[in-house]
Coordinates of all heavy atoms in Angstrom, one line a residue:
T42 N 0.9 -1.2 0.0 CA 0.0 0.0 0.0 C 0.9 1.2 0.0 O 2.0 1.2 0.6 CB -1.0 0.1 1.2 OG1 -0.2 0.1 2.4 CG2 -1.9 -1.2 1.2
L43 N 0.5 2.3 -0.7 CA 1.2 3.5 -0.8 C 0.2 4.6 -0.4 O -0.9 4.7 -0.9 CB 1.7 3.8 -2.2 CG 2.5 2.7 -2.9 CD1 2.8 3.1 -4.4 CD2 3.8 2.5 -2.2
T44 N 0.6 5.5 0.5 CA -0.3 6.5 1.0 C 0.5 7.9 1.1 O 1.7 7.9 1.5 CB -0.8 6.2 2.4 OG1 -1.4 4.9 2.4 CG2 -1.9 7.2 2.8
G45 N -0.2 8.9 0.6 CA 0.5 10.2 0.7 C 0.1 11.1 -0.5 O -0.2 10.6 -1.6
K46 N 0.1 12.4 -0.3 CA -0.3 13.3 -1.4 C 0.7 13.3 -2.5 O 0.4 13.7 -3.7 CB -0.4 14.8 -0.8 CG -1.5 14.9 0.2 CD -1.7 16.4 0.5 CE -2.9 16.6 1.5 NZ -4.1 16.0 1.0
S47 N 2.0 12.9 -2.3 CA 3.0 12.9 -3.4 C 3.0 11.5 -4.1 O 3.9 11.4 -5.0 CB 4.3 13.2 -2.8 OG 4.8 12.2 -1.9
V48 N 2.2 10.6 -3.8 CA 2.3 9.3 -4.4 C 2.1 9.4 -5.9 O 2.9 8.9 -6.7 CB 1.2 8.3 -3.8 CG1 1.2 7.0 -4.6 CG2 1.6 8.0 -2.4
L49 N 1.0 10.0 -6.3 CA 0.6 10.0 -7.8 C 1.7 10.6 -8.6 O 2.2 10.0 -9.6 CB -0.7 10.7 -8.0 CG -1.1 10.8 -9.5 CD1 -1.3 9.4 -10.1 CD2 -2.4 11.6 -9.6
P50 N 2.2 11.8 -8.3 CA 3.2 12.4 -9.2 C 4.5 11.6 -9.3 O 5.2 11.5 -10.3 CB 3.5 13.8 -8.6 CG 2.9 13.8 -7.3 CD 1.8 12.8 -7.3
Q51 N 4.8 10.9 -8.2 CA 6.0 10.0 -8.2 C 5.9 8.7 -8.9 O 6.7 8.3 -9.7 CB 6.4 9.8 -6.7 CG 6.9 11.0 -6.0 CD 7.5 10.7 -4.6 OE1 8.6 10.2 -4.5 NE2 6.8 11.0 -3.6
I52 N 4.7 8.0 -8.8 CA 4.6 6.8 -9.5 C 4.3 7.0 -11.0 O 4.6 6.2 -11.8 CB 3.4 5.9 -8.9 CG1 2.1 6.6 -8.8 CG2 3.8 5.4 -7.5 CD1 1.0 5.8 -8.3
Q53 N 3.8 8.2 -11.3 CA 3.6 8.6 -12.7 C 5.0 8.5 -13.5 O 5.0 8.2 -14.7 CB 3.1 10.0 -12.9 CG 1.6 10.1 -12.6 CD 0.8 9.7 -13.9 OE1 0.7 8.5 -14.2 NE2 0.2 10.7 -14.5
K54 N 6.1 8.8 -12.8 CA 7.4 8.8 -13.4 C 8.0 7.4 -13.6 O 9.0 7.2 -14.3 CB 8.4 9.6 -12.6 CG 8.0 11.1 -12.6 CD 8.9 11.9 -11.7 CE 8.5 13.4 -11.7 NZ 9.4 14.2 -10.8
L55 N 7.3 6.4 -12.9 CA 7.8 5.0 -12.9 C 7.2 4.1 -14.0 O 7.7 3.0 -14.2 CB 7.7 4.4 -11.5 CG 8.3 5.2 -10.4 CD1 8.1 4.4 -9.1 CD2 9.8 5.5 -10.6
V56 N 6.0 4.5 -14.5 CA 5.3 3.7 -15.4 C 4.9 4.5 -16.7 O 4.8 5.7 -16.6 CB 4.0 3.2 -14.7 CG1 4.3 2.3 -13.5 CG2 3.0 4.3 -14.4
P57 N 4.7 3.8 -17.8 CA 4.3 4.5 -19.0 C 2.8 4.9 -19.1 O 2.4 5.6 -20.0 CB 4.7 3.6 -20.1 CG 4.5 2.2 -19.5 CD 4.9 2.4 -18.0
S58 N 2.0 4.4 -18.2 CA 0.6 4.6 -18.2 C 0.2 5.8 -17.4 O 0.8 6.1 -16.4 CB -0.2 3.3 -17.7 OG 0.3 2.2 -18.3
D59 N -0.9 6.5 -17.8 CA -1.3 7.7 -17.2 C -2.3 7.3 -16.0 O -3.5 7.1 -16.2 CB -2.0 8.6 -18.2 CG -2.4 10.0 -17.5 OD1 -2.0 10.2 -16.4 OD2 -3.0 10.8 -18.2
L60 N -1.7 7.3 -14.8 CA -2.5 6.9 -13.6 C -3.4 8.0 -13.1 O -4.2 7.8 -12.3 CB -1.5 6.4 -12.5 CG -0.6 5.2 -12.9 CD1 0.3 4.9 -11.7 CD2 -1.4 4.0 -13.3
S61 N -3.1 9.2 -13.6 CA -3.9 10.4 -13.2 C -5.4 10.2 -13.7 O -6.3 10.9 -13.1 CB -3.3 11.7 -13.6 OG -3.5 11.8 -15.0
R62 N -5.6 9.4 -14.6 CA -7.0 9.2 -15.2 C -7.9 8.4 -14.2 O -9.1 8.4 -14.4 CB -6.9 8.5 -16.5 CG -6.0 9.2 -17.5 CD -6.1 8.5 -18.9 NE -5.8 7.0 -18.7 CZ -5.9 6.2 -19.7 NH1 -6.3 6.6 -20.9 NH2 -5.7 4.9 -19.6
L63 N -7.3 7.7 -13.3 CA -8.0 6.8 -12.4 C -8.9 7.6 -11.4 O -8.4 8.5 -10.8 CB -7.1 5.8 -11.7 CG -6.3 4.9 -12.5 CD1 -5.4 4.0 -11.6 CD2 -7.1 4.0 -13.4
Q64 N -10.1 7.1 -11.3 CA -11.0 7.6 -10.3 C -11.0 6.6 -9.1 O -10.6 5.5 -9.3 CB -12.5 7.7 -10.8 CG -12.6 8.7 -12.0 CD -12.3 10.1 -11.5 OE1 -12.7 10.6 -10.5 NE2 -11.4 10.8 -12.3
P65 N -11.4 7.0 -7.9 CA -11.4 6.1 -6.8 C -12.2 4.9 -7.1 O -13.3 5.0 -7.7 CB -12.1 6.9 -5.7 CG -11.7 8.3 -6.0 CD -11.8 8.4 -7.5
G66 N -11.7 3.7 -6.8 CA -12.3 2.4 -7.2 C -12.0 1.9 -8.6 O -12.5 0.9 -9.0
Q67 N -11.0 2.5 -9.2 CA -10.5 2.1 -10.5 C -9.1 1.6 -10.4 O -8.3 2.0 -9.5 CB -10.6 3.2 -11.6 CG -12.1 3.6 -11.9 CD -12.1 4.7 -13.0 OE1 -11.2 5.4 -13.2 NE2 -13.3 4.8 -13.6
A68 N -8.6 0.8 -11.4 CA -7.3 0.3 -11.3 C -6.7 0.3 -12.7 O -7.4 0.4 -13.7 CB -7.3 -1.2 -10.8
Q69 N -5.4 0.2 -12.8 CA -4.6 0.1 -14.1 C -3.6 -0.9 -14.1 O -2.7 -1.0 -13.2 CB -4.0 1.5 -14.3 CG -3.0 1.5 -15.5 CD -3.7 1.6 -16.9 OE1 -4.6 2.4 -17.1 NE2 -3.4 0.6 -17.7
Y70 N -3.7 -1.8 -15.0 CA -2.6 -2.8 -15.3 C -1.5 -2.0 -16.0 O -1.7 -1.3 -17.0 CB -3.1 -4.0 -16.1 CG -2.0 -4.9 -16.6 CD1 -1.3 -5.7 -15.8 CD2 -1.6 -4.8 -18.0 CE1 -0.3 -6.6 -16.3 CE2 -0.6 -5.6 -18.5 CZ 0.1 -6.5 -17.6 OH 1.1 -7.3 -18.1
T71 N -0.2 -2.2 -15.6 CA 0.9 -1.4 -16.2 C 2.2 -2.1 -16.0 O 2.2 -3.3 -15.5 CB 0.9 0.0 -15.8 OG1 1.8 0.8 -16.6 CG2 1.2 0.2 -14.3
V72 N 3.3 -1.5 -16.3 CA 4.6 -2.0 -16.1 C 5.5 -1.0 -15.5 O 5.4 0.2 -15.7 CB 5.2 -2.5 -17.4 CG1 4.5 -3.8 -17.9 CG2 5.2 -1.4 -18.5
L73 N 6.4 -1.5 -14.6 CA 7.5 -0.6 -14.1 C 8.6 -0.7 -15.1 O 9.0 -1.8 -15.6 CB 8.0 -1.1 -12.7 CG 7.1 -1.0 -11.5 CD1 7.8 -1.7 -10.3 CD2 6.8 0.5 -11.2
L74 N 9.2 0.4 -15.5 CA 10.3 0.4 -16.5 C 11.6 0.8 -15.9 O 11.7 1.7 -15.0 CB 9.9 1.4 -17.6 CG 8.6 1.1 -18.5 CD1 8.4 2.2 -19.5 CD2 8.8 -0.3 -19.1

C-alpha cells in the first residue's frame, strides 16, 4: 500500500501509463520500466 499526497506524481514517473486518469475504485494494469 502507498499513502500520501505525493504518491501520484512520483509513481507517474515510474510507469508509461497515465495513472492520473483513475477515479477512486478504478485500477490500471501497467509495467515498471
